[in-house]
Amino acid sequence: MKIIKTINEMRDFRRNNAGSVGFIPTMGYLHEGHVSLVKLARQENNYVVISIFVNPKQFGPHEDFAAYPRDTEKDITLLKNAGVNAVFLPEVEEMYPAGFETYVSLETLSKKLEGKSRPGHFTGVATIVSKLCNIIQPDRAYFGQKDAQQVVVMKKMVSDLQLPIKIVVGETKREKDGLAMSSRNVYLSEKERKEASVLFQSLQLANEMIQKRERNSEIIKKAMSSLINETSGTIDYISFANPKNLDEVQIIENEVLISLAVYFGKTRLIDNIVVHSV
Ligand code: PAF
């Protein structure tokens, strides 16, 4: 496995390795969710490249950029066993040199859901992913469904910019109690960690209500909120949206993306499921 720290070296790797490349962009502190994306990429490509870069442009001024968990040594050990060909570890100074001023921004999709609570977040994500894809030139890029809006934003960006890249989505990996795996789970205290399974429980409750033919999203939101409010969690939002354009839906028909963000202390957790109504 090659460890690559500069853009020139990364471009050389790509030039010297003809064949398809599967790319997994990450911010490190890797878990089983990332490893499952590596496995998917290995099945479909000649080479697998993963990047580890905590992207300052996707954090708001009051968010956790400085505190974001980092353990590159541990990540590299995990990746060696997972069958990755190259790990790209660029420096912030090389990705965003002084005077950097060009951004990729989606006019409407980036302002919905997460974008309302985290203004500028998706501009940061779209900018870094398009830069990394430009350098690595992958055939396929892999993202987890846990960040549902990120997937929608990536698909739209690739389509609008006519990038010759297929976006592949891996399912959300969960802990035994249903909590979605996330690098941020490490912030939770023991009590918060126990309570945090309520995100998935509330999503399951929503699913059950829909299967029992409840179609009014406001009624389901109330039931989800009551469940979450039994814990110390503070709800940022609960959303029922069209999975393709992320427009909010009142009356559920066909497919609906149910997503939520909940704070436990300072830790903001997100999760989602897509439900097909019958
Ligand atoms: O999902 C993430 O970890 C980040 O948003 C990504 C895609 C690596 C861009 O920095």
Side-chain angles (χ1 to χ4, degrees):
M1 184 175 81
K2 230 174 146 31
I3 309 288
I4 299 179
K5 293 197 170 166
T6 67
I7 294 174
N8 275 344
E9 267 180 278
M10 190 63 240
R11 289 201 199 277
D12 284 347
F13 176 92
R14 187 61 178 114
R15 259 194 296 273
N16 298 333
N17 291 288
S20 59
V21 166
F23 169 47
I24 302 133
T26 83
M27 299 207 297
Y29 217 74
L30 305 175
H31 51 68
E32 249 180 69
H34 297 110
V35 175
S36 71
L37 295 180
V38 170
K39 278 192 197 141
L40 263 185
R42 272 169 58 84
Q43 286 162 17
E44 298 175 328
N45 303 278
N46 300 111
Y47 299 96
V48 176
V49 176
I50 189 163
S51 63
I52 299 179
F53 180 70
V54 185
N55 173 32
K57 303 276 185 197
Q58 69 187 73
F59 291 80
H62 305 294
E63 292 184 359
D64 55 344
F65 172 67
Y68 195 82
R70 295 161 168 89
D71 192 343
T72 310
E73 287 309 307
K74 196 163 155 230
D75 288 346
I76 288 174
T77 310
L78 187 77
L79 295 175
K80 272 188 191 145
N81 299 325
V84 167
N85 300 96
V87 187
F88 184 38
L89 293 165
E91 296 290 340
V92 172
E93 293 72 24
E94 197 181 15
M95 293 308 284
Y96 298 116
F100 181 89
E101 60 171 318
T102 304
Y103 292 88
V104 177
S105 160
L106 289 88
E107 279 181 16
T108 58
L109 275 181
S110 67
K111 296 194 177 78
K112 298 175 181 177
L113 288 169
E114 281 294 283
K116 278 192 203 146
S117 302
R118 306 186 66 190
H121 170 69
F122 288 109
T123 297
V125 172
T127 302
I128 194 62
V129 174
S130 56
K131 279 167 70 71
L132 290 166
C133 287
N134 206 7
I135 296 163
I136 295 164
Q137 306 267 308
D139 297 275
R140 299 179 184 84
Y142 294 79
F143 296 88
Q145 174 61 23
K146 151 123 186 314
D147 295 296
Q149 185 173 7
Q150 177 164 273
V151 168
V152 176
V153 165
M154 290 295 104
K155 285 186 175 165
K156 183 72 174 137
M157 177 187 86
V158 159
S159 155
D160 283 355
L161 297 182
Q162 285 143 339
L163 302 179
I165 300 170
K166 183 174 180 222
I167 301 295
V168 185
V169 186
E171 62 176 30
T172 304
K173 289 282 163 197
R174 300 185 178 280
E175 305 289 353
K176 284 205 182 81
D177 65 354
L179 176 65
M181 289 188 183
S182 160
S183 310
R184 288 191 167 98
N185 291 349
V186 72
Y187 296 144
L188 298 169
S189 70
E190 208 177 311
K191 175 173 175 272
E192 290 165 348
R193 169 63 193 81
K194 276 195 192 131
E195 290 183 327
S197 61
V198 77
L199 272 80
F200 188 53
Q201 284 163 20
S202 70
L203 290 170
Q204 283 177 311
L205 171 65
N207 183 27
E208 280 160 26
M209 291 178 77
I210 294 171
Q211 300 316 321
K212 287 183 184 151
R213 303 195 186 273
E214 177 57 70
R215 292 289 178 267
N216 186 328
S217 63
E218 287 309 316
I219 292 177
I220 305 175
K221 272 186 207 174
K222 274 199 189 117
M224 293 170 78
S225 304
S226 311
L227 190 64
I228 296 167
N229 290 336
E230 286 171 19
T231 71
S232 64
T234 307
I235 299 167
D236 181 1
Y237 67 79
I238 298 176
S239 153
F240 284 65
N242 175 321
K244 298 212 164 60
N245 60 21
L246 305 180
D247 281 347
E248 292 295 318
V249 299
Q250 298 295 321
I251 300 301
I252 300 158
E253 287 162 2
N254 309 318
E255 261 195 349
V256 63
L257 169 69
I258 311 175
S259 57
L260 75 173
V262 177
Y263 282 96
F264 281 93
K266 283 190 182 145
T267 309
R268 187 170 179 280
L269 300 178
I270 59 170
D271 201 352
N272 70 86
I273 53 172
V274 175
V275 174
H276 306 262
S277 60
V278 281

